[in-house]
Amino acid sequence: MNALLLARWQFGITTVYHFLFVPLTIGLAFLVAGLQTAWLVRGDERYLRATKFWGKLFLINFALGVATGIVQEFQFGMAWSAYSRFVGDVFGAPLAIEGLLAFFLESTFLGLWIFGWDRLPRAVHAACIWIAAIGTMLSAYFILAANAWMQHPVGFVLDPTTHTARLTSIWAVLTNSTALVAFAHTIAAAFLISGMLLVAVSSWHLRRGTFTDVLRPSLRLGLWTSLVACALTAVTGDIDGKIMTEQQPMKMASAEALYHTAQPASFSIFTIGSLNGRSEVWSFRLPGLLSFLATGSFNGQVQGIDNVQAAEVAKYGPGVYTPVIPVTYWSFRLMIGFGLLAGLLALIGLYLTRGGRTPGAERRWFHRFALWGVLFAPLGASFGWIFTEMGRQPWSVFGVLTTRESVSPTVGAGTLWTSLIVLTALYAVLAVIEVGLMMRTARSGPEPEPGAAGSGEDDQPRLGFAY
């Protein structure tokens, strides 16, 4: 394995791993803020207990997300120095704003929220978690703006002296159409992931009949959040697909392994044939669906891989401009499939909990479905990012800089092997710690009801927040 392939593997592993924490942090921050606001307005102790319970899970996830995110910067400097030099002038602005503004809001006001229980006025304390939640969303926007520039570079010129990209309009970068739709799509997915966590943990306790006063409302909150977020994810994903087709026609063609331009173009749910999809033996297809996903019309024209390849050779010169087709084909379907499973779970759950009902132990199938549901949305989001990034290949900055030109010229395969093994092993350890802490906290459940047996209120003063 050469240095380029090793660098790509390392970046893929660490980035997908890091992104598992990001959407859960964003969604949980707002859900916790909403629960605390409900307690502030209604004075119902159940909302306070729910706030503290889900807040603990949020903080565990936030801490691991920060730790794994630091590695991304290290990677750019070590394995992708040529890329860093090329994009530095463009990326500097949005990433600096993210650090100085968005992450400042997250860390500062989250600290006030953690240590401000029973110290700050209730309204001020609730405002702290809202500001921290807004900070997480702003942080996502600035990072997505930087990533969107790689998908659709705007607001720059190529410096003929340094052979690097020079920023000409930060406004163009921040209002990039790709960034706007990617932000909406990512935030919707974040709430879907967070809603599924509430559903899984609440269902686990409800099957055992524990903490029903707190976790049945949490279950309903998770179900409604997941259903609405699933619908928004589908709508924003549809818009994203049409913009993607205009800007990167190869990516949409590779999502279907469509080698020849078709009008209308069908969408295959499942295909049996050669690995690259060029030779098909059998497939189950939905007529015109790919045309609709790409153009908004069931009779729209979708360019084929061979046609786009010829066009890009004419535009950029000799080369192979196709991504790894099996990866793009299946990651696109897995992204959609896991998202739909999460939406189906939310629909079933809302039906079973209608009219004040609570699924008991006799609904064992639902509780198992709900428990596995915690994986549906994160897997869908991960496959979505794999499709987004690998579908852009061979470009790191589309139409401007190839991935081959982006890798560090002086870092050898031995160094990358070492860092790949070390980082993967470290992330495996962090995964064990994360899962262990999350499961331990989830199983312990919310704090006992004030005055209930085991609450300890008769023996010692009540703590605002304990870890």
Side-chain angles (χ1 to χ4, degrees):
M1 297 177 73
N2 58 32
L4 173 61
L5 191 56
L6 287 168
R8 290 181 65 187
W9 269 105
Q10 178 175 273
F11 188 81
I13 291 171
T14 55
T15 301
V16 170
Y17 184 91
H18 170 63
F19 187 71
L20 293 173
F21 303 100
V22 174
L24 188 57
T25 296
I26 296 170
L28 271 182
F30 280 93
L31 292 176
V32 170
L35 286 167
Q36 184 168 353
T37 303
W39 168 66
L40 185 66
V41 172
R42 298 186 180 185
D44 191 330
E45 195 75 14
R46 294 178 302 167
Y47 291 115
L48 175 62
R49 294 163 62 201
T51 299
K52 294 185 177 184
F53 175 59
W54 298 113
K56 291 178 184 179
L57 294 173
F58 160 68
L59 291 174
I60 293 169
N61 189 77
F62 180 86
L64 268 292
V66 171
T68 56
I70 295 173
V71 178
Q72 303 304 103
E73 299 177 7
F74 170 75
Q75 273 198 124
F76 282 130
M78 185 192 77
W80 303 99
S81 61
Y83 168 84
S84 299
R85 282 192 293 269
F86 184 84
V87 305
D89 189 60
V90 177
F91 270 36
L95 295 185
I97 297 172
E98 188 273 333
L100 295 173
L101 174 63
F103 189 72
F104 172 80
L105 289 177
E106 290 179 63
S107 55
T108 301
F109 286 93
L110 190 57
L112 290 172
W113 186 71
I114 294 172
F115 299 106
W117 286 94
D118 299 332
R119 293 178 176 87
L120 294 174
R122 289 184 176 184
V124 174
H125 187 257
C128 288
I129 187 61
W130 275 110
I131 296 173
I134 293 170
T136 65
M137 188 173 285
L138 289 174
S139 181
Y141 184 80
F142 291 118
I143 293 173
L144 286 169
N147 178 267
W149 187 83
M150 297 164 62
Q151 313 287 342
H152 181 227
V154 294
F156 81 105
V157 294
L158 288 175
D159 192 315
T161 304
T162 61
H163 302 289
T164 59
R166 180 161 55 84
L167 181 67
T168 58
S169 174
I170 182 60
W171 181 250
V173 173
L174 294 180
T175 58
N176 189 343
S177 59
T178 306
L180 294 174
V181 69
F183 174 71
H185 190 54
T186 302
I187 296 303
F191 278 99
L192 179 58
I193 292 171
S194 304
M196 282 289 102
L197 177 68
L198 265 66
V199 170
V201 176
S202 300
S203 178
W204 190 86
H205 280 284
L206 292 176
R207 180 184 174 184
R208 288 156 180 78
T210 55
F211 306 108
T212 56
D213 59 329
V214 173
L215 293 183
R216 188 191 178 281
S218 293
L219 175 65
R220 292 282 293 180
L221 174 62
L223 291 169
W224 275 114
T225 300
S226 299
L227 184 62
V228 174
C230 183
L232 291 175
T233 303
V235 171
T236 55
D238 178 65
I239 299 172
D240 196 3
K242 291 170 175 56
I243 292 177
M244 178 188 73
T245 303
E246 295 177 4
Q247 298 171 353
Q248 301 179 45
M250 179 64 81
K251 189 180 287 186
M252 181 55 82
S254 65
E256 178 53 35
L258 180 70
Y259 281 88
H260 304 290
T261 299
Q263 183 180 5
S266 61
F267 181 83
S268 57
I269 302 296
F270 185 80
T271 299
I272 297 175
S274 60
L275 190 61
N276 64 3
R278 187 176 286 275
S279 299
E280 181 181 302
V281 176
W282 177 87
S283 66
F284 176 67
R285 294 183 169 274
L286 298 177
L289 182 57
L290 184 66
S291 291
F292 178 80
L293 293 175
T295 68
S297 169
F298 286 99
N299 195 44
Q301 184 183 86
V302 182
Q303 297 184 59
I305 293 171
D306 291 342
N307 306 86
V308 179
Q309 166 68 19
E312 296 201 352
V313 167
K315 184 176 182 178
Y316 302 114
V320 178
Y321 297 98
T322 59
V324 182
I325 303 302
V327 172
T328 54
Y329 180 89
W330 288 110
S331 61
F332 190 70
R333 279 148 186 79
L334 290 169
M335 171 189 69
I336 296 172
F338 281 116
L340 291 177
L341 276 175
L344 176 62
L345 172 58
L347 273 174
I348 294 173
L350 287 171
Y351 175 78
L352 294 178
T353 57
R354 71 194 188 283
R357 295 174 176 84
T358 300
E362 72 280 0
R363 301 280 189 181
R364 182 175 299 179
W365 62 270
F366 170 75
H367 294 293
R368 287 180 178 175
F369 190 22
L371 199 59
W372 281 104
V374 75
L375 300 176
F376 294 159
L379 284 172
S382 297
F383 283 117
W385 272 113
I386 290 171
F387 170 77
T388 299
E389 299 304 305
M390 290 198 67
R392 190 179 65 249
Q393 298 303 312
W395 302 103
S396 58
V397 180
F398 185 76
V400 179
L401 182 71
T402 65
T403 305
R404 185 175 296 277
E405 296 170 324
S406 304
V407 73
S408 298
T410 58
V411 177
T415 302
L416 285 166
W417 264 119
T418 302
S419 60
L420 175 62
I421 293 171
V422 170
L423 288 175
T424 303
L426 174 62
Y427 276 16
V429 173
L430 290 176
V432 172
I433 294 173
E434 160 81 3
V435 173
L437 287 173
M438 293 286 282
M439 290 183 64
R440 179 180 176 182
T441 304
R443 286 175 175 172
S444 65
E447 295 177 355
E449 188 176 358
S455 66
E457 288 196 354
D458 296 334
D459 304 320
Q460 56 188 8
R462 180 178 174 184
L463 297 178
F465 222 153
Y467 293 96

